[in-house]
Amino acid sequence: MSETVLQAGVDIAGLSFDPVTVSEPLMWLVLAAFLGSVAVAQYDERLARPVATVGWGLFAVYWLALAPHFILIQKSVVEGLGSVIAVPLSLYTGYLLWNGRESLLVLTRAIGIMGVIYVPFLTTGPLRQTIIEAVTDQVAFLMTLTGYEPTVVGGLSHNGIDITSKQYPYENTFWFGEHERPITYTIILACTGIGSISIFAGGILAVKAPWRRKLRVLLGAVGIIYVLNLLRNLGIALAFGLQKAQFFPETVMALFGLSDAQLVSYYIVDRMLAQFGSVIVLVGLTWVLMRELPELTVIIEDLLFLVTGTEYDLGTAFEKNQSESGPATPGDD
């Protein structure tokens, strides 16, 4: 993510607030409710349903609070639309759970596990620093393979706000000084791929399947996402930093409300190509993973029902793969 698109807050109808700050306590409440439902489900799934229902209600409020961040600050079509859609979907999920659709407890468990993986990176400075610096170093190495010698710096500021020293006090910014006004591309937590990794890990670990098979699929998914994310950062950094995607600048500036023409390459490569491309890649990866771990179909079937209102039987489509995997051996589960 470019450091140039980070802002301090947003003013909506005269009310000034920081959506991320407002959403943080909600995040902890959601995680507590989801994990609480997982614990209660070990004894009685009927009692777990109301706990999970509360969690989904809080999840809707969480996305409602965070939506302005993606829409007005990040100006991301994919993330903004996703956050808006997540509000009614979360409420609908809670409604279905309350009325007895117990299969949604698996999806609830998946999101709880996802939070256990992601939240430590979000809230723990040393852990966050480790992954951001690792991704920065690896992207820098990939740049050298393309023939470009990157300059990595730290301590940058934007609009008078020293965002690097306050939030990321380490070197994670690529400096492109070839232009009249230097361009910077800063690696932050959202650029590390840990969000996508935690989503897939939560789903894989939440389903009931032999542990050896789950771990094999998990390692494959993590490896694929991590490598593709490095390539994504490489493409965005070079296209933006070297201004290689200055296509239809006036149209793009009008579409995103930009005042700086240098940001056109960033918005084309990241906000348009990379984000929409990531959705397509992750959908394809999900299909591949279901072939290796058909138990994931219970989560995907519920997600499809939430979106379309139609029941699907994906388990039948992957029945052959499940039988070929063979019965679980003792100690696998």
Side-chain angles (χ1 to χ4, degrees):
M1 176 175 293
S2 168
E3 169 273 324
T4 55
V5 299
L6 293 178
Q7 304 291 332
V10 58
D11 183 78
I12 302 176
L15 178 62
S16 184
F17 71 98
D18 182 354
V20 175
T21 301
V22 172
S23 67
E24 285 182 357
L26 289 170
M27 173 190 68
W28 288 109
L29 291 174
V30 170
L31 186 58
F34 282 172
L35 293 179
S37 70
V38 173
V40 173
Q42 301 299 315
Y43 303 96
D44 191 336
E45 289 192 347
R46 291 175 300 175
L47 295 178
R49 291 207 318 266
V51 179
T53 299
V54 172
W56 283 103
L58 292 171
F59 207 33
V61 179
Y62 169 82
W63 286 114
L64 183 63
L66 202 57
H69 172 74
F70 294 121
I71 298 171
L72 301 177
I73 300 176
Q74 299 287 20
K75 297 180 181 179
S76 169
V77 177
V78 172
E79 293 172 317
L81 184 61
S83 61
V84 171
I85 294 175
V87 176
L89 284 182
S90 296
L91 293 174
Y92 186 42
T93 303
Y95 169 80
L96 292 174
L97 260 172
W98 181 262
N99 285 278
R101 192 179 177 96
E102 293 188 354
S103 62
L104 286 168
L105 287 174
V106 181
L107 177 61
T108 304
R109 182 163 63 244
I111 296 179
I113 296 172
M114 178 196 74
V116 170
I117 297 171
Y118 181 74
V119 169
F121 288 94
L122 183 66
T123 59
T124 307
L127 195 59
R128 183 172 62 242
Q129 177 176 351
T130 297
I131 191 171
I132 289 177
E133 288 185 337
V135 169
T136 302
D137 291 342
Q138 290 156 11
V139 173
F141 172 73
L142 291 176
M143 283 187 185
T144 63
L145 297 182
T146 68
Y148 183 83
E149 294 296 331
T151 299
V152 182
V153 298
L156 297 177
S157 64
H158 176 59
N159 290 346
I161 302 173
D162 192 350
I163 61 169
T164 306
S165 63
K166 287 183 179 180
Q167 298 183 40
Y168 309 105
Y170 29 84
E171 294 185 351
N172 59 325
T173 297
F174 292 98
W175 176 277
F176 298 88
E178 297 86 351
H179 314 282
E180 182 178 349
R181 288 183 296 113
I183 292 174
T184 60
Y185 178 79
T186 298
I187 300 292
I188 62 174
L189 187 63
C191 305
T192 63
I194 188 61
S196 297
I197 288 173
S198 64
I199 290 173
F200 277 87
I204 292 168
L205 296 176
V207 299
K208 294 181 179 180
W211 271 102
R212 290 181 183 177
R213 186 149 47 89
K214 288 204 294 186
L215 292 177
R216 184 179 71 246
V217 171
L218 176 62
L219 290 175
V222 170
I224 291 172
I225 294 172
Y226 194 84
V227 171
L228 290 178
N229 182 68
L230 291 179
L231 296 176
R232 181 185 69 88
N233 276 298
L234 174 67
I236 297 172
L238 290 179
F240 176 43
L242 301 179
Q243 296 287 275
K244 296 295 186 180
Q246 293 295 102
F247 308 121
F248 310 105
E250 293 182 358
T251 302
V252 175
M253 291 177 68
L255 180 63
F256 290 98
L258 305 177
S259 58
D260 188 344
Q262 283 189 320
L263 289 172
V264 169
S265 286
Y266 175 79
Y267 275 82
I268 287 178
V269 178
D270 179 77
R271 294 298 191 258
M272 294 181 178
L273 299 180
Q275 290 195 359
F276 283 103
S278 295
V279 172
I280 295 173
V281 168
L282 293 179
V283 169
L285 179 59
T286 300
W287 182 264
V288 172
L289 295 183
M290 285 195 296
R291 293 179 63 86
E292 297 298 321
L293 190 66
E295 292 83 356
L296 284 171
T297 56
V298 65
I299 295 177
I300 306 304
E301 287 170 355
D302 274 335
L303 288 173
L304 289 174
F305 178 78
L306 290 172
V307 174
T308 67
T310 303
E311 296 283 4
Y312 292 87
D313 183 14
L314 299 178
T316 301
F318 296 98
E319 190 176 54
K320 181 179 179 181
N321 294 81
Q322 189 172 21
S323 62
E324 289 177 351
S325 65
T329 58
D332 276 349
D333 287 317

